[in-house]
Amino acid sequence: MPRLKLAISFVLVCVSLLSFSQTDSQYISLLIPDELKSKANAVVRYESQIVEILDYNEINIKTRRIVTVFNKYGENRVNAIERYDGNKKIIAINARVFNEFGKEIRKFKERDFVDVSAVSDFSIYEDDRIKYMDYTPLKYPYTVEYTSEVTTSTTAFFPDWTPIDSYFVGIEHSEYQIINTLGVELKTKKKNFQDFNIEEVSTNHFIAKNIEGLKYEVYTPDLFEIVPRFKVALKRFNMMGVDGYNDDWKTFGKWMYDKLLINTDIIPQSTIDKVKDLTVGVDDKVERAKIVYNFMQERTRYISIQVGIGGWKPMLANDVDRLGYGDCKGLTNYTKALLEAVDVPSYYTVVYGGSGIRSLDADFSSIQGNHVILCVPNEEERIFLECTSQTNPFGFTAGFTDDRDVLLVKPEGGEIVHTKIYEADDSVQNTIAKVVLDDNGGIDAEVSIETTGFQYNLHKGIENKTERDQQLHYKDYWDNINNISIDAIKIENDKDRVVYKESVELSCNNYASKAGNRLILQPNLFSKVSNLPPRYPSRNLDFKIDRAFKDVDEFIIEYPATLKVEAMSTGEELTTKFGSYQFKIEVLGGNKIKYTRTYMLNKGHYEKSDYEAFRTFSKKIVKNDKTKIVLVKV
């Protein structure tokens, strides 16, 4: 009888679902194709964005989006949010929430949206606001239909189309259309369309259908490098009431210089006199630039300020001088003004900053970038300065703005150039250790680590930690040594040579393991690779190693005269296109063993078919780093 009731209930549900129209079915999570749900935290059931160009300085954007959310990780794909300010008006905004059977359970009218200032945690002021839907689900899955209409006179930030903007999101239907009846001149660029199910309905009208969610895989390139994207920019645009022109990067950079930078770099005569006094008698312009950069670092601090023309115009250099703070734009512009005072030319530079490497699109000029740095030309070399840091060495960019295309803003126009690439020989970690082993397997060691380049970036800052946090850092860094005791720490940050030096004394009672009258010792105490890239039954995406590096190790291990070497490997050497690895073990006189190791990883973009070979290379490194020496009592 219970089974009969269950069967009847199932039939009634199926009949109920079949009675819905095609449009209603988009609210029913049970009707989503299985292949779209298999790798998805959310599925975009329907998405439509229609952008109507009313003039070079006015566009209208209508959005309708229906998204089914399966878990908390899919909630950020709902995107029921709009920004607005004096130039961008919200005409309409609404949302409805449905349960898994398509029944409406909540409705949001405009007055129900939360309206707040768009001030972020790291910004003291931003001149726009947001309205967003605040909804806490009681149960998953649920579906949200969101509709909005906005108009804006700031057409510099033209909405482009990126149907896949995160991992683990399936796309049932995503549509984008530009209506341009007035024939306003625009630039467009299609990217990565060929690998996805995208239909070009007509000029500037596209539909993406039935695209499975992308599963994140380690070493995957930046998402925007691999997903479909349709970029759009007006050749004549408006930004917060200021007209602009954008035929190419040269004209765009010229507009930035003329409209955003001119007359913002005036500083007090008293400050000009100070930097001139500091640099008097210094003929080399790079040395003058170093002195000025240090002067700026000592008297300013970073605070985000997203105001001005679209958040792109820097605050006045005079205000930065008076207040002692600024955002990346203000501090960069201020440093530029200081350098001009001592006859050192420099260029305001737009960049995508971040630990991942992302370049401006050199073939498509538009509003791009999220950060500003300063370029000091020096004959054939370009020196880039990070003006938001109070601690960065002069000209150091590794880890945040290295190896990417950026825009120099010059009086004559913009120019795309590339920032410094840190090769493996630029990013070296050199570890030297003297180790004394006792009869019970305990060790006392003196370890010296010197790092440069990108590896310098990974280590710097330890000197600013408390003694307790330094202790915890090294215990975590050498977590392969159980019950480690950190006995002394000395750190020197050589910012002139950009070399980070760490000297650590440590001890451990039982590093080597006992086996009868033998001690089994792993000679790679301090540079062990233990993590393997995950195995995939079938790698789906190409992979990329962003940065090269080199590790060079030399450990001298002294053992008691009561022991002798019974067995050990002499070493191994590996050479692949991904990098190279070699280690060697030698028995020296005076009861000493010398362990040397060099591991170099190359930067590069590789086919997905190469991933298993890369993983095999990594496995061999992990295995060799665990190599053992057997010592036996004499």
Side-chain angles (χ1 to χ4, degrees), residues 268-403:
Q269 186 60 47
S270 58
T271 301
I272 293 174
D273 293 340
K274 284 180 185 177
V275 292
K276 283 186 173 182
D277 287 343
L278 288 171
T279 57
V280 66
V282 180
D283 296 328
D284 186 85
K285 71 174 184 179
V286 173
E287 290 303 315
R288 292 203 301 274
K290 285 183 180 179
I291 293 168
V292 169
Y293 182 67
N294 183 66
F295 172 82
M296 180 277 299
Q297 286 182 308
E298 289 180 348
R299 63 178 295 158
T300 62
R301 58 193 173 94
Y302 170 79
I303 295 180
S304 177
I305 307 170
Q306 302 300 322
V307 295
I309 299 176
W312 275 60
K313 186 179 179 69
M315 65 187 289
L316 298 176
N318 192 48
D319 289 340
V320 176
D321 185 84
R322 175 174 55 86
L323 298 169
Y325 63 70
D327 62 4
C328 64
K329 302 180 296 297
L331 293 172
T332 298
N333 189 54
Y334 178 59
T335 308
K336 181 176 181 295
L338 293 173
L339 290 174
E340 286 175 357
V342 295
D343 299 319
V344 176
S346 61
Y347 302 122
Y348 191 87
T349 304
V350 180
V351 59
Y352 277 113
S355 57
I357 293 176
R358 182 180 178 186
S359 286
L360 301 188
D361 189 337
D363 301 322
F364 191 83
S365 57
S366 64
I367 295 289
Q368 296 180 41
N370 62 2
H371 188 54
V372 172
I373 56 179
L374 193 64
C375 175
V376 178
N378 180 37
E379 297 177 353
E380 298 301 315
E381 179 189 15
R382 296 185 185 93
I383 301 170
F384 292 94
L385 304 180
E386 175 55 67
C387 300
T388 63
S389 172
Q390 295 173 287
T391 59
N392 257 30
F394 177 83
F396 183 77
T397 60
F400 194 68
T401 56
D402 56 319
D403 191 14

Side-chain angles (χ1 to χ4, degrees), residues 438-627:
D438 65 32
D439 286 303
N440 295 313
I443 59 169
D444 288 286
E446 297 176 0
V447 187
S448 172
I449 306 171
E450 288 192 4
T451 47
T452 62
F454 177 64
Q455 302 222 62
Y456 170 97
N457 182 66
L458 298 177
H459 287 246
K460 71 180 176 71
I462 303 171
E463 76 276 17
N464 299 321
K465 296 178 181 288
T466 64
E467 182 179 348
R468 177 179 179 275
D469 286 342
Q470 287 180 350
Q471 291 263 341
L472 292 174
H473 166 80
Y474 287 109
K475 288 181 179 180
D476 182 64
Y477 186 67
W478 290 311
D479 62 358
N480 59 298
I481 304 176
N482 294 324
N483 301 315
I484 187 173
S485 174
I486 306 299
D487 303 319
I489 300 169
K490 181 181 178 182
I491 298 174
E492 180 186 349
N493 184 359
D494 187 343
K495 292 172 63 175
D496 290 330
R497 294 175 54 233
V498 195
V499 177
Y500 201 77
K501 302 177 182 180
E502 303 162 70
S503 299
V504 182
E505 296 178 16
L506 58 91
S507 57
C508 169
N509 290 330
N510 54 354
Y511 175 74
S513 58
K514 285 186 176 182
N517 64 342
R518 291 174 174 82
L519 284 179
I520 300 173
L521 168 76
Q522 292 187 19
N524 185 357
L525 297 88
F526 306 114
S527 297
K528 187 174 294 182
V529 175
S530 56
N531 293 325
L532 266 178
R535 182 179 179 274
Y536 299 107
S538 177
R539 175 89 186 194
N540 294 309
L541 302 172
D542 292 345
F543 67 102
K544 183 180 180 183
I545 299 171
D546 276 343
R547 294 178 177 89
F549 65 81
K550 181 190 285 187
D551 288 348
V552 180
D553 307 304
E554 181 181 296
F555 308 151
I556 303 296
I557 303 169
E558 182 179 347
Y559 56 92
T562 55
L563 297 173
K564 68 176 181 178
V565 176
E566 181 181 49
M568 72 175 192
S569 168
T570 56
E572 186 169 348
E573 185 170 343
L574 306 170
T575 302
T576 73
K577 63 183 177 182
F578 313 110
S580 61
Y581 173 92
Q582 60 181 351
F583 82 93
K584 186 177 181 181
I585 306 176
E586 306 169 79
V587 177
L588 307 178
N591 299 323
K592 293 180 181 179
I593 297 169
K594 181 180 180 181
Y595 173 86
T596 55
R597 171 183 178 272
T598 302
Y599 169 33
M600 184 172 71
L601 189 67
N602 299 328
K603 70 185 294 290
H605 196 132
Y606 303 97
E607 301 288 333
K608 60 185 177 183
S609 57
D610 287 329
Y611 181 76
E612 194 54 40
F614 170 66
R615 190 170 182 275
T616 298
F617 173 59
S618 301
K619 283 173 66 177
K620 289 180 178 178
I621 292 171
V622 170
K623 178 184 175 182
N624 283 317
D625 276 358
K626 292 179 180 177
T627 194

Side-chain angles (χ1 to χ4, degrees), residues 100-115:
E100 61 187 313
F101 300 109
K103 179 182 178 182
E104 184 179 306
I105 56 176
R106 182 79 184 272
K107 181 179 289 187
F108 288 81
K109 295 183 179 180
E110 183 168 357
R111 64 175 178 268
D112 301 316
F113 280 71
V114 180
D115 188 339

Side-chain angles (χ1 to χ4, degrees), residues 6 41 60 65 72 74 87 129 176 247 254 271 277 309 371 404 476 509 518 580 605:
L6 182 62
N41 297 319
N60 177 274
R65 183 165 50 250
K72 65 179 182 179
N87 296 276
R129 298 183 64 82
Y176 177 88
D247 291 323
K254 175 68 173 170
T271 301
D277 287 343
I309 299 176
H371 188 54
R404 62 200 76 194
D476 182 64
N509 290 330
R518 291 174 174 82
S580 61
H605 196 132

Side-chain angles (χ1 to χ4, degrees), residues 169-231:
V169 175
I171 308 294
E172 196 166 353
H173 180 108
S174 179
E175 186 169 355
Y176 177 88
Q177 182 181 8
I178 297 174
I179 299 174
N180 186 16
T181 54
L182 294 180
V184 174
E185 274 196 290
L186 49 82
K187 304 164 53 174
T188 63
K189 180 180 179 180
K190 290 186 289 187
K191 185 176 180 180
N192 299 326
F193 273 39
Q194 67 279 2
D195 297 327
F196 297 88
N197 183 22
I198 296 176
E199 175 190 357
E200 186 167 354
V201 180
S202 59
T203 302
N204 302 329
H205 184 185
F206 305 95
I207 298 176
K209 287 186 176 181
N210 300 321
I211 299 176
E212 296 181 23
L214 287 177
K215 182 180 179 181
Y216 176 76
E217 296 171 333
V218 296
Y219 295 104
T220 296
D222 186 276
L223 183 66
F224 289 111
E225 289 185 32
I226 62 177
V227 298
R229 193 172 185 188
F230 184 63
K231 299 182 179 183

Side-chain angles (χ1 to χ4, degrees), residues 408-422:
L408 302 187
V409 181
K410 298 181 173 183
E412 63 272 20
E415 179 186 358
I416 296 290
V417 300
H418 205 80
T419 58
K420 180 175 179 177
I421 299 173
Y422 288 81

